[in-house]
Amino acid sequence: MRETGTRTIVIGAGSGGCVAAARLSEQEQHRVTLVEAGPDLAPGEVLPAIDGPDYLAAMAVPGRVDTDVHATRVQGGDPRPYPLGRGLGGSSAINGMVAARGDAARYRSWGWHDAAETWERVAVPVERPAASELGAVDRALLDAEAGAEPALLTRRDGRRVTSAEAYLWPARERSNLEILTDSAVTRIVLDGRRAVGVVLDDGTELAADRVVVAAGAIHTPALLLRSGVDTPGIGTGLQDHPAVAFTLALHEPDDPSRLVTGAVADRGTIQLLPMNHLGSSPDGASHGMLMAALMSPHGRAGTVTVAPDGAPQVDEALLADPRDVAELVRAARETLDLLRTPSFAALVSTVYIDDHGTTADVLADDVALETWVRSATGAYLHATSTCAMGTVVDADGAVAGHQGLFVCDASVFPAIPDANTHLPTVMLAERLCARWAR
Ligand SMILES: Cc1cc2nc3c(=O)[nH]c(=O)nc-3n(C[C@H](O)[C@H](O)[C@H](O)COP(=O)(O)OP(=O)(O)OC[C@H]3O[C@@H](n4cnc5c(N)ncnc54)[C@H](O)[C@@H]3O)c2cc1C
């Protein structure tokens, strides 16, 4: 990426795309156009719902969530909504803000020996919440679970900092960076096997020397496939963190102006995530949740394909590997044990296992637990690896068999990190940008 006068189009302004647009436009010889399907997120115009403690309120801001994507969680299941962030900041503007780096040994096992130094460049700030911000389910988890701690959150001074704020705000005034919002790319234009531009949803065609696709692990493979990119493996190997969740009826409603999630517990390969409330409605305030997620799943059978109308079709196949079923059954059993400890018993009147009022008493043995896990497993909304490095893209994120075409988002991970995926995606993007600048 060193030639002069290069015009690069970055598609998608999420965790990865904001980094790519900002770092590429640091080099004056690059002209960068960032194209984002959703709305702007300009300095001074961030709604309290987005930078406040309640990420469910952020998800309710019109235009900020892509509601069109549906995914089957387990094979044979029905497609259910799979929300994704939309607009500058992408999923970092609506996510739960939980900040984690993941296991350094895993990055080294991918040959990412520069991961430690790359983390030094990550511009997204993190901080732990004040004790006064924690909710009742957070506090019960901190009491009952040795491995629990107040969560690091992607915030500064108690405000969410999105990847747009951390990366694009300092870059917005650069004369070599153009930001187009409310503009979706419908297709990448290929000249033979070279990417030479994009077509927007209003029919406008923009020419480019290079296209960097950062539309996220669901939309990136769909866009490549729709554009006729034929590299084998696109859309395969989809991973997510499989999770089960128990809904908790609380004796006392929680204050929905507090953090939804302010604590987290890592128990080996299982992460326990509390939710203090489920939104600001009276029903949301009187219910919490405790979720258990597998952070190092084995299954890789998930796929993103393209429906006849061009939309992504997502089959997560979360339980295709029997080791993941066994581990999730164990995680569910241990979570139920935790919910019987005095800290939770004092807080929770009833533990539910679905939306139909079924209580956890029915999960009396491992057979019942496994049956439930097989039907109730959901995703942590951490999709990765659909254009995996080593399969679809090379070590620079370049799409195999093509010229001028790169991927820079969660699609690229060789396998899912054992951590919440926002910060690792920022690190991955920083790493690719450093390689492009060499
Ligand atoms: C509800 C929710 C909660 C989460 N909670 C956490 C958490 O607490 N901690 C954590 O670490 N991770 C969390 N995650 C996951 C994390 O946010 C994502 O893994 C990460 O942001 C992915 O980054 P990305 O760059 O791959 O994609 P995204 O950040 O999703 O960005 C993709 C961008 O591309 C745009 N786009 C898509 N298609 C097009 C197109 N055709 N043309 C133009 N633009 C397009 C989208 O609008 C979007 O802005 C959560 C995710 C969700 C959805």
Side-chain angles (χ1 to χ4, degrees):
M1 288 235 176
R2 297 224 67 177
E3 297 97 292
T4 52
T6 304
R7 173 149 188 201
T8 303
I9 292 176
V10 178
I11 305 171
S15 306
C18 288
V19 180
R23 292 298 185 207
L24 284 169
S25 61
E26 279 173 356
Q27 300 167 51
E28 283 172 10
Q29 75 273 21
H30 274 157
R31 285 178 300 137
V32 179
T33 302
L34 174 62
V35 186
E36 165 55 45
D40 200 354
L41 193 72
E45 293 177 10
V46 181
L47 298 172
I50 288 183
D51 67 8
D54 178 4
Y55 79 86
L56 301 170
M59 291 183 74
V61 173
R64 279 276 153 199
V65 168
D66 178 349
T67 50
D68 291 341
V69 176
H70 290 68
T72 56
R73 288 353 190 227
V74 296
Q75 275 163 334
D78 291 330
R80 284 190 280 132
Y82 192 95
L84 295 165
R86 199 170 164 274
L88 288 202
S91 297
S92 79
I94 54 112
N95 73 15
M97 298 183 281
V98 174
R101 287 185 167 194
D103 182 20
R106 178 165 303 203
Y107 297 127
R108 281 197 299 277
S109 76
W110 298 340
W112 294 15
H113 299 288
D114 53 356
E117 68 189 68
T118 308
W119 281 115
E120 302 296 315
R121 293 196 297 280
V122 167
V124 178
V126 297
E127 65 182 17
R128 293 192 198 276
S132 58
E133 288 187 289
L134 299 178
V137 188
D138 290 331
R139 287 195 299 272
L141 184 66
L142 291 166
D143 265 1
E145 171 66 24
E149 49 180 27
L152 278 172
L153 301 174
T154 47
R155 299 203 300 173
R156 185 191 292 121
D157 301 330
R159 283 186 54 247
R160 178 199 294 268
V161 177
T162 64
S163 53
E165 178 169 340
Y167 283 93
L168 287 184
W169 286 10
R172 279 179 83 104
E173 303 308 322
R174 289 178 194 155
S175 59
N176 63 340
L177 173 63
E178 179 186 21
I179 300 174
L180 303 180
T181 51
D182 297 307
S183 293
V185 170
T186 54
R187 150 175 94 77
I188 297 159
V189 182
L190 299 174
D191 178 5
R193 307 191 75 75
R194 174 176 288 280
V196 294
V198 301
V199 178
L200 306 184
D201 50 1
D202 65 359
T204 308
E205 191 166 332
L206 302 177
D209 304 297
R210 295 185 182 100
V211 174
V212 174
V213 192
I218 305 297
H219 284 295
T220 286
L223 182 55
L224 291 171
L225 292 169
R226 258 200 328 261
S227 306
V229 177
D230 59 1
T231 305
I234 294 174
T236 66
L238 166 65
Q239 287 194 295
D240 205 323
H241 293 128
V244 287
F246 296 98
T247 302
L248 315 176
L250 306 174
H251 288 303
E252 300 280 331
D254 199 75
D255 174 358
S257 69
R258 267 201 291 246
L259 283 168
V260 178
T261 296
V264 68
D266 285 314
R267 221 186 223 208
T269 55
I270 294 166
Q271 184 173 87
L272 298 173
L273 189 98
M275 289 176 75
N276 296 303
H277 60 86
L278 305 181
S280 55
S281 69
D283 197 41
S286 54
H287 288 84
M289 196 173 268
L290 187 60
M291 198 179 83
L294 292 192
M295 300 308 281
S296 297
H298 298 91
R300 296 219 54 164
T303 55
V304 177
T305 52
V306 176
D309 67 356
Q313 283 187 147
V314 188
D315 178 3
E316 289 217 292
L318 290 170
L319 296 182
D321 190 304
R323 291 170 292 182
D324 294 337
V325 180
E327 218 177 316
L328 213 45
V329 169
R330 177 174 65 81
R333 190 190 318 114
E334 291 181 7
T335 309
L336 282 172
D337 289 345
L338 198 64
L339 289 170
R340 289 188 199 102
T341 58
S343 313
F344 278 101
L347 179 75
V348 175
S349 59
T350 314
V351 176
Y352 293 104
I353 61 167
D354 60 25
D355 296 340
H356 312 296
T358 313
T359 61
D361 314 334
V362 300
L363 305 180
D365 55 35
D366 275 3
V367 174
L369 264 177
E370 180 171 333
T371 306
W372 175 69
V373 161
R374 284 188 182 281
S375 67
T377 292
Y380 214 158
L381 305 175
H382 290 169
T384 70
S385 310
T386 48
C387 298
M389 191 175 279
T391 306
V392 174
V393 300
D394 69 8
D396 290 332
V399 177
H402 290 74
Q403 289 89 46
L405 186 57
F406 296 79
V407 180
C408 183
D409 60 23
S411 317
V412 169
F413 288 112
I416 192 165
D418 61 348
N420 312 62
T421 42
H422 164 48
L423 274 194
T425 305
V426 174
M427 187 274 276
L428 171 152
E430 284 277 15
R431 228 187 132 252
L432 291 178
C433 292
R435 294 179 71 90
W436 296 341
R438 278 200 306 226

